[in-house]
C-alpha cells in the first residue's frame, strides 16, 4: 500500500522475485485525490497498470485489493465523498473485480478462501471508506450491510483469517493517524462480533502509515488481537507512539513485506506464520515477527 504511482517502486520487482501466491493491496495503492474529476482517478490507475512489474504480478499471483482514502478519492474522507460511486466502478474495472464485487454493493468489500481442511486461509477485505461516518464516539466505519456480510464471513470455517483494513485497528486514539480507536463503538462492535461468532485465527492487516510494524492487544478477541501494519512501499515517514507495538519499526523508504505460513505441525515446529519487512534497495531484513497459530485460539474451556 501507499504506492506513489509517479515514483520508482523497486519493491514491485522484489515482489515479482518472491513469487507470492496471494498479494494484498491494502490501500492508497495509487494517489488520485480529486473533488470533481473521475478522470484523475482513471489516469492514476492507468499509470499503475502500465508498470511492467505490476503486469507481471497480475499475471502470476492472485491479487486482492481494497482501498483507503487516496484512491477512494480524497484524503481522510468517508461516506460523503461526492465521487464515491464513480470511484467504486473504476476500482471494480481496474482490479477486474466485477464478478466478486457486485455493482450495487455499497462499497468494495469482498472475501476469498484458499486451501482446505486445517490449511484454510480466509482473507476478508474491509471497506472503511464508502459508509464511514465522521470520527466520534458513535461513528460507524462499515455500514449495516457490510457488518451483516462480515458476520456471515466470520461464521465460515477457517484456520487463519486475515482481516484487512486500510487504517489500523489497534493504534491509539490520540494518534495523528486515522485509526479504528477514533470510532470506539465501531471498534468494540468489531471485537465483539469476532468473539460472538466464535471466529478464531483472526489477524488484522492494515496500511496507512509509511513504515512497517506489528501490534498486539491482549485478550480482546477471546485471544490476543494481532495486527500487521505495512505500507509506503516507496515512501517513508517518522513513526508515532503506539501502546500496543510488539516489534521494532521498519523504516526503509523502498520496502516490501511478506507473510509466510507454515500449516503443518512438524517434529520441529507447530503451525505458524512469519511477517517480515525488507529494504527493497538492498534486500536486507528490517523486521521479523512470528505468531504460532495456536496463539490465535480461545483457551480450552472458554
Amino acid at each position: 500500500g501507499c504506492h506513489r504511482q509517479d515514483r520508482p517502486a523497486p519493491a514491485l520487482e522484489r515482489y515479482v522475485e518472491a513469487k507470492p501466491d496471494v498479494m494484498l493491496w491494502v490501500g492508497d495503492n495509487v494517489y488520485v485525490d480529486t473533488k470533481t474529476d473521475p478522470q484523475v482517478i482513471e489516469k492514476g490507475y492507468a499509470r499503475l497498470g502500465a508498470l511492467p512489474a505490476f503486469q507481471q504480478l497480475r499475471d502470476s499471483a492472485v491479487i486482492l485489493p481494497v482501498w483507503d482514502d487516496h484512491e477512494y478519492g480524497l484524503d481522510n474522507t468517508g461516506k460523503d465523498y461526492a465521487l464515491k460511486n464513480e470511484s467504486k466502478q473504476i476500482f471494480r474495472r481496474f482490479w477486474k473485480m466485477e464478478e466478486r464485487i457486485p455493482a450495487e454493493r455499497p462499497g468494495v468489500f469482498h472475501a476469498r478462501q484458499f486451501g482446505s481442511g486445517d490449511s484454510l486461509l480466509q482473507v476478508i477485505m474491509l471497506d472503511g471508506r464508502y459508509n464511514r461516518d465522521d470520527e466520534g464516539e458513535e461513528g460507524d466505519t462499515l455500514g449495516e450491510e457490510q457488518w451483516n456480510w462480515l458476520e456471515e464471513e466470520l461464521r465460515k470455517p477457517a484456520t487463519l483469517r486475515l482481516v484487512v483494513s486500510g487504517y489500523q485497528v489497534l493504534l491509539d486514539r490520540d494518534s495523528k493517524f486515522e485509526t479504528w480507536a477514533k470510532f470506539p463503538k465501531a471498534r468494540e462492535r468489531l471485537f465483539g462480533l469476532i468473539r460472538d461468532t466464535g471466529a478464531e485465527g483472526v489477524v488484522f492487516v492494515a496500511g496507512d502509515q509509511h513504515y512497517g510494524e506489528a501490534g498486539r492487544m491482549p485478550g480482546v478477541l477471546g485471544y490476543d488481537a494481532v495486527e500487521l501494519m505495512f505500507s509506503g512501499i516507496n515512501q517513508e515517514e517518522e513513526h508515532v507512539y503506539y501502546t500496543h507495538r510488539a516489534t521494532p519499526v521498519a523504516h526503509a523508504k523502498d520496502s516490501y513485506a511478506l507473510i509466510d505460513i507454515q500449516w503443518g505441525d512438524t517434529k520441529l515446529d507447530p503451525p505458524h506464520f512469519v511477517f517480515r519487512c525488507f529494504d527493497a534497495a538492498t534486500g536486507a531484513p528490517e523486521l521479523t515477527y512470528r505468531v504460532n497459530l495456536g496463539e490465535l485460539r480461545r483457551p480450552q474451556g472458554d
Side-chain angles (χ1 to χ4, degrees), residues 67-250:
W67 59 24
D68 199 26
D69 47 350
H70 289 290
E71 81 268 48
Y72 180 52
L74 208 59
D75 188 28
N76 293 347
T77 198
K79 68 181 183 183
D80 296 327
Y81 177 53
L83 298 180
K84 70 179 192 177
N85 289 313
E86 292 90 338
S87 184
K88 180 182 72 173
Q89 303 311 336
I90 295 169
F91 179 100
R92 293 174 63 248
R93 289 196 301 271
F94 175 78
W95 293 107
K96 304 183 188 304
M97 298 294 288
E98 291 98 333
E99 293 185 6
R100 303 196 69 85
I101 303 175
E104 67 277 8
R105 176 167 290 176
V108 298
F109 51 94
H110 59 101
R112 190 158 172 181
Q113 290 185 314
F114 303 89
S116 61
D118 292 334
S119 304
L120 184 58
L121 173 67
Q122 181 186 44
V123 182
I124 298 175
M125 310 296 284
L126 298 180
D127 182 343
R129 292 292 164 192
Y130 198 88
N131 301 291
R132 203 190 82 163
D133 295 331
D134 292 336
E135 295 173 354
E137 294 294 330
E138 299 295 318
D140 190 18
T141 49
L142 302 183
E144 285 305 314
E145 184 168 330
Q146 188 173 185
W147 281 114
N148 292 335
W149 168 86
L150 177 58
E151 180 175 356
E152 292 179 4
E153 291 297 325
L154 290 172
R155 292 190 183 280
K156 294 178 180 178
T159 310
L160 178 64
R161 308 171 195 267
L162 303 182
V163 178
V164 180
S165 169
Y167 45 92
Q168 278 180 276
V169 176
L170 305 186
L171 184 64
D172 302 71
R173 184 173 182 175
D174 60 358
S175 173
K176 67 178 181 179
F177 294 117
E178 293 181 287
T179 166
W180 279 66
K182 295 180 180 180
F183 301 84
K185 185 176 180 178
R187 188 171 78 164
E188 183 49 45
R189 182 176 182 178
L190 177 64
F191 293 163
L193 186 61
I194 293 168
R195 293 192 301 265
D196 293 345
T197 57
E200 295 185 318
V202 169
V203 173
F204 298 118
V205 178
D208 194 33
Q209 286 85 264
H210 303 160
Y211 45 88
E213 64 187 2
R216 191 160 183 151
M217 184 181 290
V220 293
L221 306 181
Y223 49 93
D224 291 359
V226 172
E227 183 163 56
L228 314 177
M229 197 289 294
F230 174 79
S231 209
I233 66 170
N234 57 359
Q235 302 182 79
E236 191 274 335
E237 64 189 338
E238 184 178 356
H239 65 269
V240 298
Y241 182 84
Y242 179 19
T243 299
H244 303 291
R245 182 174 288 129
T247 65
V249 180

